[in-house]
Amino acid sequence: MTLLVITGTGTEVGKTVATAAVAALAKDAGKRVAVVKPAQTGVKPGEPGDVDEVVRLAGALTARELVRYDDPLSPEAAARLAGQPPVSPSQAAEAVTELVEDHDVVLVEGAGGLLVRFDHTGGTLADLAWTLRAPVLLVAAAGLGTLNTTALTAEALRHRGIECLGVLVGSWPTSPDLATRSNLLDLPVAARAPLLGVLPAGIAQHDRAGFLRVARAHLAPQLGGEFDAVAFAERNSP
């Protein structure tokens, strides 16, 4: 894995924590890691953004936030409201490609979901992934309703000829209900891709060593961890 785009089925599903977990494992394996956030929205100047949270959890790495907008909107809408220029997928691809040259792993974290608009031409994270020829890790919610949004996002990837590396549950509750436990078997079917991890809710509250330990136990070997999706599903089956 050299280049990976990380998207979600929507907002607040755990993309940043997932990005930090993948980055932490790559760093622990001795790899040179870079994380790119093409567009950060809803964060004021001077406030910590998503890449700062990744660094807090994973440790020192190359962190790039290409543009920032104050309002918690899509990048295109936030740029328009602020009267600032948007970032296009081609501009983001150029910045990411430069980092690939001297890093072993480059992670690109999107804003919102796969088809949220970056600019007035309709450019999206899907366009960026296609330009980079990069696989996509799909971060999904755990509970009721997640199967539809996961299937729609995965279908959009297939329609564009973009590989879905796998699906990852971004926040697994301490007391999962029936739908949540059932989704362990159904999410890979919806995504037509393997389940590559289940990150526990509250993982970001650990210190850096604890975060690394939990990330290793809950991410699959494809992402540098030791997670066994079959065993986890069997333990949590309805």
Side-chain angles (χ1 to χ4, degrees), residues 188-205:
V189 177
R192 297 192 193 177
L195 180 65
L196 294 184
V198 174
L199 295 176
I203 183 177
Q205 297 173 11

Side-chain angles (χ1 to χ4, degrees), residues 81-227:
L81 189 62
Q84 297 176 236
V87 61
S88 69
S90 61
Q91 290 170 325
E94 183 177 350
V96 171
T97 301
E98 290 176 358
L99 291 170
V100 169
E101 295 177 0
D102 52 7
H103 291 83
D104 303 307
V105 174
V106 179
L107 307 175
V108 182
E109 182 191 341
L114 181 69
L115 300 184
V116 169
R117 289 164 62 96
F118 276 12
D119 59 21
H120 65 280
T121 68
T124 67
L125 186 69
D127 296 311
L128 175 57
W130 186 87
T131 299
L132 293 170
R133 299 295 191 269
V136 171
L137 176 63
L138 177 54
V139 182
L144 191 66
T146 193
L147 299 180
N148 183 60
T149 52
T150 297
L152 287 170
T153 305
E155 183 176 303
L157 289 169
R158 290 194 302 274
H159 179 71
R160 290 163 173 78
I162 302 168
E163 176 190 357
C164 181
L165 183 70
V167 60
L168 170 70
V169 176
S171 182
W172 181 259
T174 54
S175 299
D177 61 15
L178 175 63
T180 299
R181 289 181 287 124
S182 179
N183 286 340
L184 288 171
L185 296 177
D186 293 332
L187 274 169
V189 177
R192 297 192 193 177
L195 180 65
L196 294 184
V198 174
L199 295 176
I203 183 177
Q205 297 173 11
H206 289 280
D207 62 16
R208 195 169 290 165
F211 181 81
L212 175 64
R213 182 179 64 255
V214 177
R216 189 183 311 282
H218 290 86
L219 291 185
Q222 296 95 313
L223 299 174
E226 300 170 351
F227 176 76

